[in-house]
Amino acid sequence: MPGMVVFGRRWGIASDDLVFPGSFELFIRVLWWIGTMILFTYHKGHFDCNERGVLHSYLVGLLVVLALIILSLCAIVYVSAQGTITNPGPRRSMPALVYLRALLYLPELVWACLGAVWVSDDSKGCDPATVGAVIAAVVASWIILLFTGIGVVFVFDPLGDPRPQPPTMEPLGVRDLQSSEGSQFLSTARSLAVKVWESRLRLLCCCLPQDESHRAAFSSIAQLFSSFFSDTDLVPSDIAAGLALLHQEQDKMEKSRDPEVIVSHSPSSPIGEDLETELEKAAHCMQFAAAAYGWPLYIYSNPLTGPCKLSGDCCRSRAAEYEIVGGDHLGCHFSSILQSTGLQYRDFIHVSFHNQIYEIPFYVALDHKREAVLVAVRGTLSLKDVLTDLSAESCYAHKGICQAASYIYKKLVNDGILNQAFSIAPEYKLVITGHSLGAGAASVLAILLRNSFPTLQCYAFSPPGGLLSKALADYSKDFVISVVLGKDLVPRLSIPNMEDLKRRILKIVSNCNKPKYRILLQGCWYELFGGDPDDFPTEMDNRREEELGQPLLGEESLMIRHSSSYQSLASDDSPAHTATHLPLFLPGRVLHITEDGPSRRSCFSQVRYRADWSNEMAFRSILISPRMLADHMPDAVLRALNSLTSDRPFSLCPSSLNNSQRNTI
């Protein structure tokens, strides 16, 4: 629901968000009150240890202050638990309770100061245990006051204007015909929102140099973020509740869906080139794509043996002996690549670990096993790479990734790196690969080099979903293969998909008639322990089907201005549902790898994978799952490919490996 309005401004927290923090503080306060009462009872009649009776006054006052705080917290928790996300009526008294609770911080602050004075000046001759208890109470008071201040900073919304926004249902044409006051107000608000997001990004990336390229990136990302979040009035807990409900709804739909038919061959693949052959090539290229991450991924994948194998090379650089490297930590990075790929030093043509915004590391090597000149591009590993990822403005392709691919293209062509490689092995073909950000850059790079190298191939592992226009995606199907594992988030991540996710969150949140704390509790239980998806009741249950063409009042109340990405409940397949951003797609043909069997399994169970050809339209919505991030990790993709090509299931626990079972392809 909209943020709570207190102290003359709107905050980034709703009136139903105080159940959990209030319950936690209530638990602490009750224990504190009980301990203070025990101490008071123990010293009853013996409060004159300092001959002034200050201890008696302090304990009595502390008991009274704690009792008032406990009563106010009980009221806050009870009232905050009432109603639903879009029905704040039962919580209308919450601002008054917040004012009361804030008022009680004053006597608590006074008593904390009084306790500190007593401990420092008047505690001589008193029981050390009593002095220690008072010190603990004083410290606890200051800690709670500190965390309260930190909490206020977190929920503070610089854009929290309590004034009402322009009416949601007012036609835009009518508004445009009115005086310029309204449009000027919206323009000022948008400019302020961009500045706020830009300040947040600069604070988050304070360790990066504030040069012109970084400032341009901050501005571009700030405009994207401000425009995406500007048309809703959701607080973060509303989004969390919506994601929890969406995950369970998607699981229910998946269980009721008919088994999909597995396509054994790609419709556009050459005759005789079957799925198993492509899997073997992909598994081979994934080793090089994973190696591009350098020593961090190598140590992560080999925590016991990795440090020992790399320790001899981490302290020295081989740049003087082999003039093919650049960047930082050359010894560790280069040695890890050698260990991961099994190549020799002489097989590398160029290795660059130079990393700036729009400039990502890559290496060029001779792959004698496949007779290929291989270009491997690194994925996201630094904050600069994240800024490249987030520069998602588009015309025909992702802006940040296009600039990264252009940087590598200039290095390969202008610096003569490819000419050098093909002068050594003129009969070899060109293969480009990468994972995540590297997969996107590799795909765009393959398109740029296609005319010069008609036989090139590109294997893109877990590429970003919002990458290429439909025309470029179709063009790349002849030479690019995208490999996606499970419910990986990144191949489904694009601005239209995020708009669709926002719209679905608005629907499901506004229609659910459960209180938010119950949604979050049940959602956490489901994520951790599984079970059957919650059959949550909604306010749609009692609505006639013909009424669903009209948006719910609760859903509309979450929109603070008109957005063309937002439609009513009946608009999922409506022609009127048009996107504000150009839809972008995965590159090339899509090879989708999924786990065969239940999605939740114990540690000692075995994971079997299956692979089938898919298409870019199957990734037009974001799937909520605990594995949406784990499936994106390069080691997980490599493990799945190796499991498929080695004809054996992968065991989560090595002791339970069983080679007798075979994977499904």
Side-chain angles (χ1 to χ4, degrees), residues 82 95 138 145 147 192 318 396 412 555 610 623 632 638:
Q82 305 304 306
V138 172
L145 291 171
F147 276 95
L192 178 60
R318 299 183 181 271
Y396 297 105
L412 293 177
E555 187 183 1
R610 80 177 190 187
L623 301 180
H632 183 69
L638 180 60

Side-chain angles (χ1 to χ4, degrees), residues 34-87:
I34 293 174
T36 305
M37 178 58 72
I38 293 174
L39 184 64
F40 181 82
T41 305
Y42 176 77
H43 284 279
K44 191 173 183 179
H46 302 85
F47 291 107
D48 55 349
C49 58
N50 55 10
E51 299 181 354
R52 295 178 58 184
V54 177
L55 179 60
H56 179 272
S57 302
Y58 173 77
L59 291 179
V60 171
L62 183 59
L63 286 172
V64 173
V65 171
L66 288 176
L68 293 175
I69 292 176
I70 289 173
L71 291 176
S72 67
L73 289 174
C74 289
I76 288 175
V77 171
Y78 175 78
V79 174
S80 183
Q82 305 304 306
T84 62
I85 294 177
T86 53
N87 179 25

Side-chain angles (χ1 to χ4, degrees), residues 280-290 374 431-434 459 461:
E280 291 177 354
K281 293 180 180 178
H284 179 75
C285 288
M286 184 60 205
Q287 294 180 350
F288 294 91
L374 192 139
V431 176
I432 307 175
T433 188
Y459 289 87
F461 301 96

Side-chain angles (χ1 to χ4, degrees), residues 24-38:
F24 178 75
E25 185 181 359
L26 179 61
F27 175 74
I28 298 297
R29 296 288 187 178
V30 168
L31 292 182
W32 190 351
W33 189 88
I34 293 174
T36 305
M37 178 58 72
I38 293 174

